[in-house]
Amino acid sequence: MPEMLFQVRWPDGSDSTCYSPSLVVQDYLTPGGDYPLDDFLNRTREALEIASERVRAKYGFACSRAMDQWAEIDETATRFKSQPDARVRVIAFQG
């Protein structure tokens, strides 16, 4: 199963490199795309859940690393939830 990394820039200018066990993230995010925080969270949660389920279908168990990545994204996002105009930029995909 092809893994991928995707780099994002948070509203404070900090960058994170995130993991997905599947290329499905490309269906939900676009490099150079600038997403409102809630939209970014919804997209990444759905993409990582699908990616984890693809691992389950292939190997018989969910991808805990994908779910750990989602938890890290959600935790980071809490710093910006009070900012009504907070946006997250997808910088790049790394295959």
Side-chain angles (χ1 to χ4, degrees), residues 26-46:
Q26 295 175 333
D27 296 339
Y28 288 82
L29 301 172
T30 302
D34 208 22
Y35 300 91
L37 183 63
D38 287 341
D39 184 34
F40 174 77
L41 292 174
N42 290 334
R43 288 169 179 267
T44 55
R45 181 183 62 244
E46 187 170 348

Side-chain angles (χ1 to χ4, degrees), residues 58-73:
K58 185 168 185 171
Y59 299 107
F61 53 86
C63 180
S64 61
R65 188 171 171 196
M67 294 299 89
D68 290 346
Q69 181 62 74
W70 163 246
E72 185 179 316
I73 288 169

Side-chain angles (χ1 to χ4, degrees), residues 3-45:
E3 301 176 330
M4 76 173 307
L5 300 175
F6 56 103
Q7 185 178 9
V8 300
R9 180 157 298 139
W10 295 99
D12 65 357
S14 64
D15 291 351
S16 294
T17 300
C18 305
Y19 168 82
S20 172
S22 166
L23 301 179
V24 70
V25 171
Q26 295 175 333
D27 296 339
Y28 288 82
L29 301 172
T30 302
D34 208 22
Y35 300 91
L37 183 63
D38 287 341
D39 184 34
F40 174 77
L41 292 174
N42 290 334
R43 288 169 179 267
T44 55
R45 181 183 62 244

